[in-house]
Amino acid sequence: MLLLLLWESLSRLAILPPDAVPPVSAVLLELGRLLGSGELVGQVGLTAGRAVAGFAVGGCCGVVLGFACGVFPGFGRAMRMTVEFLRPMPSVALIPIGILFLGLGFGLCVAVAGFACSWPAYVAALAGADAAGAELRDTARVYGLGRWERIVFVRAPAALPQVMAGLRTGLAVAVAVAVTTEMAAAPDGLGSFILESSLAGRPERLYAGIVAVGLLGAGLNAAFVAGRRLVLAWTPAGGR
């Protein structure tokens, strides 16, 4: 709150250039107007759909790949060079290639966001694959559980808390990358809305779009945390 008051004061006193940093009150009024007219609601819906779809695809792929690499060491060693080549690659660098195959819009945003958010999920699942220690796995073997039963009923549940932590990070990444991709190669969505507002010299709309991105990220995070609490209700921490 103090930061917002400082922003409002500095802008009103023209210490910050009002044409670049408008007062908070002007941004909030513009945000309310855009939401009331429905103009911004549609853009939020487009970005949310792309981010969630990318998160679903990328998160699943990252979890499966990471868990498989952790459970099957031979497979992990075979994949290591490929993974370490792809993992540091900036997702936005793939936009030109994606345009060739997917064109502009939904498919491209989903693919790029999915690529970006798959790696936090991969790292978390790889670490979680060893969450069930050797003692627990040996106990399961003594009780007669086969290899696949130990994977499904021992190692997978033990990995779940770490997997959910990685997926939560991946969700935030998916939102950020979806917006970035919209700025570069989409005719609509919050990213395109923010870029067009900047080019048109309309800072109130620009900051209203940025606030909408923050609200979208916070809303998706809250929904994920609620779902995680249900999924991990059996754990001692209760999914907190």
Side-chain angles (χ1 to χ4, degrees):
M1 182 61 70
L2 182 61
L3 181 61
L4 294 178
L5 291 174
L6 181 62
W7 176 359
E8 177 80 15
S9 301
L10 292 177
S11 183
R12 291 289 181 187
L13 295 172
I15 297 174
L16 294 175
D19 56 341
V21 187
V24 176
S25 56
V27 173
L28 295 179
L29 285 173
E30 181 67 11
L31 178 63
R33 187 189 70 79
L34 290 168
L35 291 174
S37 67
E39 182 179 355
L40 197 57
V41 174
Q43 306 300 331
V44 171
L46 289 169
T47 301
R50 291 161 178 164
V52 170
F55 168 72
V57 174
C60 288
C61 291
V63 168
V64 171
L65 178 62
F67 189 70
C69 287
V71 170
F72 305 107
F75 177 72
R77 287 191 295 270
M79 292 297 299
R80 185 174 301 156
M81 183 173 294
T82 301
V83 167
E84 294 307 322
F85 172 77
L86 292 174
R87 192 160 64 91
M89 188 174 295
S91 55
V92 293
L94 301 178
I95 292 177
I97 300 174
I99 292 173
L100 294 176
F101 289 94
L102 301 170
L104 304 178
F106 183 83
L108 175 65
C109 294
V110 170
V112 177
F115 176 85
C117 76
S118 65
W119 301 116
Y122 164 84
V123 171
L126 180 64
D130 288 328
E135 182 177 347
L136 182 59
R137 298 199 298 270
D138 289 342
T139 301
R141 187 181 297 109
V142 168
Y143 276 94
L145 272 68
R147 185 180 189 185
W148 288 103
E149 290 175 317
R150 293 196 301 273
I151 291 173
V152 173
F153 297 112
V154 177
R155 301 189 72 164
L160 199 53
Q162 285 180 267
V163 167
M164 296 301 285
L167 287 174
R168 185 180 181 185
T169 301
L171 179 59
V173 171
V175 173
V177 172
V179 172
T180 303
T181 307
E182 288 172 345
M183 289 183 178
D188 46 25
L190 284 175
S192 178
F193 177 88
I194 291 169
L195 182 62
E196 290 176 2
S197 299
S198 176
L199 295 176
R202 304 181 67 179
E204 293 88 356
R205 286 171 62 89
L206 183 154
Y207 285 100
I210 293 173
V211 171
V213 172
L215 294 175
L216 172 61
L220 291 176
N221 178 71
F224 182 87
V225 169
R228 183 187 65 177
R229 192 173 293 117
L230 293 176
V231 171
L232 299 179
W234 54 273
T235 62
R240 292 193 297 274

